[in-house]
Amino acid sequence: MAVCVTCGNDYYMAFEVRTVGGGTYTFDSFECAIQKLAPVCEHCGTRIVGHGAEVSGRFYCCAHCARTADAPIGFEVRDAVGAYPG
């Protein structure tokens, strides 16, 4: 069996995740993988599981949080592709 790097559970259905940077991690659940690998929103602190938004190298979970950033003039964040810019 393999031990989860996040919670320490020794689980027969554990799985490995290999990152582009060469890291290899063993997890017993997606929840533990998210806790270990997902970036954290710079505004609200939640784990970013979806696409999120990046502003000047800072990561946010959604457009609302991204709007809190010191964005360049003319910068616009939309909640969805093709959203009405109104």
Side-chain angles (χ1 to χ4, degrees), residues 5-85:
V5 298
T6 302
C7 71
N9 186 29
D10 193 3
Y11 187 48
Y12 77 100
M13 291 181 64
F15 58 93
E16 274 189 0
V17 173
R18 296 174 191 266
T19 64
V20 174
T24 301
Y25 302 92
T26 301
F27 300 106
D28 68 341
S29 66
F30 286 115
E31 181 180 6
C32 284
I34 289 167
Q35 190 65 30
K36 178 75 173 175
L37 299 175
V40 176
C41 177
E42 299 245 1
H43 177 69
C44 71
T46 192
R47 295 280 175 187
I48 303 169
V49 180
H51 292 286
E54 181 182 354
V55 178
S56 302
R58 297 173 69 187
F59 294 93
Y60 301 92
C61 65
C62 63
H64 166 77
C65 286
R67 289 185 190 101
T68 66
D70 294 327
I73 295 174
F75 177 80
E76 181 180 340
V77 177
R78 293 189 194 177
D79 292 304
V81 174
Y84 181 72

